[in-house]
Amino acid sequence: MFEDTKVAARFSVQDLQRARAFYAEKLGLEPSEERPGGLLYRCGEGEFVLFESGGAASGEHTQMSWEVKDIEATVEWLRGRGVVFEEYDVSGLKTVNDIAEVRDSEGNLFGKGAWFRDSEGNLLGISQPMS
């Protein structure tokens, strides 16, 4: 039933204008639509909404990720715009120069990833699958 539907993410933010500035200045994204208390962004075939709320992001897990063709170039571009990346050195995941190799349970490389937080504490990622 859901396999052919469009998926959209929703993120609560405490300060909508601060979040809007982050997404514009750091990620180069402008909202496609403004709604009362919220902003709609479209990226490729997906979309996400930032909505103002008193709640805070858990920041405990990746809440949204973009798939890119060249993660090294994307990380460099984002660094140049002031994005600060998360560093990890935990069992099975270690970032080197802000990028981690992501492996399956058998140790096979299936992609690379990098993570950062937006102005509201949402944990966002970028990934590059290995073809």
Side-chain angles (χ1 to χ4, degrees):
M1 172 177 252
F2 291 112
E3 59 272 3
D4 294 323
T5 63
K6 184 175 169 182
V7 174
R10 306 288 186 253
F11 300 103
S12 66
V13 299
Q14 292 184 336
D15 185 322
L16 192 59
Q17 293 313 309
R18 179 177 62 203
R20 179 186 193 137
F22 175 89
Y23 282 81
E25 295 166 13
K26 306 295 187 197
L27 307 183
L29 295 173
E30 293 295 335
S32 299
E33 292 179 31
E34 291 189 44
R35 300 172 177 178
L39 303 170
L40 170 69
Y41 292 83
R42 290 193 173 96
C43 298
E45 295 180 22
E47 64 185 35
F48 65 96
V49 170
L50 302 179
F51 66 93
E52 201 154 37
S53 170
S58 74
E60 299 286 324
H61 64 281
T62 306
Q63 292 158 290
M64 181 171 65
S65 184
W66 288 270
E67 188 174 293
V68 299
K69 293 181 190 222
D70 185 341
I71 195 166
E72 286 84 2
T74 304
V75 165
E76 190 63 34
W77 182 80
L78 288 168
R79 268 195 219 117
R81 296 176 75 94
V83 171
V84 176
F85 286 87
E86 299 288 299
E87 292 292 329
Y88 295 104
D89 188 0
V90 295
S91 177
L93 187 70
K94 179 177 174 61
T95 51
V96 175
N97 201 25
D98 297 327
I99 300 170
E101 291 185 341
V102 182
R103 299 181 179 275
D104 65 19
S105 60
E106 296 171 1
N108 301 307
L109 178 65
F110 68 88
K112 294 179 180 181
W115 297 267
F116 60 93
R117 295 181 190 281
D118 71 5
S119 61
E120 309 307 297
N122 294 301
L123 185 59
L124 308 174
I126 54 175
S127 65
Q128 178 185 336
M130 296 291 110
S131 310

